[in-house]
Amino acid sequence: MADATGVLVIGQTSAGALDSTAAELLAAGRLVAASLGEELSIALLGDAVDAPAQQAIAHGADKVYSVTNPLLSEYQADLYLAALDSLCREANPRVVLMARTNDGRELAPRLAFRLGVGLAQDCLEVSIDEASKTLLANRPVYGGNAIAVVSCEHTPQIAAIRPKAYEPTEMDQSRQGQVVSFPVDLDASQARTRVVETVREESEGVKLEDARVVVSGGRGLGGPEPFSGLEDLAKLLGGAVGASRAAVDSGWVPSSYQVGLTGKSITPDLYITVAISGASQHMAGCSGAKCIVAINKDADANIFKDARYGVVGDWETVIPALTEAVREL
Ligand code: FAD
């Protein structure tokens, strides 16, 4: 068999368009492919992926594998896995990049197992050791208290990257790329699970995991009511509201708000924490935030170690004043 070569991004689509996570992976993939001096390709799975294929090329893909089958129109783990398994064996990439979305969390370990290779999970950054052409993946460990650099010996070297860890490159509609049809043979009986019902999370405004600004509240808020003040501030900043597990466990907000090790991983540009102590399990979900602003009445709170800006004070005074100041901007 020929040596493995190139970088393959596993791209997701939604509503007939390239998902933002796929554009982010292409940005990471371009850097890795450039270091290797090899090609960047993307796999798009579905029943028709023509429009997202052109968007992927504009975002930097040299080649698009259009992995089509009517059974792939909706995400189904067993069928997607079977399709990706055959594509990886055929395309023989050196590096595979996947998004650590809910689907990616399910697919990445199963794909790695099928291919008999390792997996670098929950990566914030990937690069290439140019001497050995090995993928180096940076990922938080010990509840976000340290960053481990992980490399996998066997090809394909697979990394699952946190959403928002990379900024998509600007689309360039003049870019040329190749679209390769890769029809797969699938049988509905391969699907060992079926979706009984899809319940869409009702949320007004921007989603927590997509938000550039997040305002999170913790146990120190003392109840559910103060979250409406955080909602007002988040809305003014075009952001979303999150919470610590203590606030979620107290029943003040739904579990979909939870940021942390057992909640969502977010990488906003600005993360404002209000009455959150900064436990390592909370920080594990926000260590990729570009700027953390902490509001806490305890000057010794752990959160101040990670915050770029801190306000030592009572949220009951600070939040109304901050909201007013933002309103006046
Ligand atoms: P606390 O730690 O109680 O902090 C409250 C803070 O509010 C204090 O610092 C206090 O000084 C401040 N405060 C109080 N009153 C005011 C005031 N009036 N004005 C300003 N500040 C005030 N936690 C998560 O968040 N996400 C997770 O995903 C998660 N996963 C976990 C997984 C495991 C396996 C375990 C063991 C724990 C996990 N936890 C998680 C829990 C975590 O360890 C902490 O218990 C939790 O994050 C604490 O939440 P908190 O900061 O809101 O509450």
Side-chain angles (χ1 to χ4, degrees), residues 247-266:
V248 168
D249 286 352
S250 302
W252 300 342
V253 283
S255 59
S256 58
Y257 280 46
Q258 187 178 319
V259 172
L261 193 64
T262 43
K264 290 181 176 164
S265 297
I266 56 167

Side-chain angles (χ1 to χ4, degrees), residues 218-220 243-247 258-263 275-279 281-282 295-298 301 313-315:
R219 187 174 0 229
S244 71
R245 178 157 148 184
Q258 187 178 319
V259 172
L261 193 64
T262 43
I276 287 180
S277 59
Q281 294 90 353
H282 184 81
I295 298 162
N296 195 305
K297 68 176 185 184
D298 176 5
D314 193 318
W315 66 264

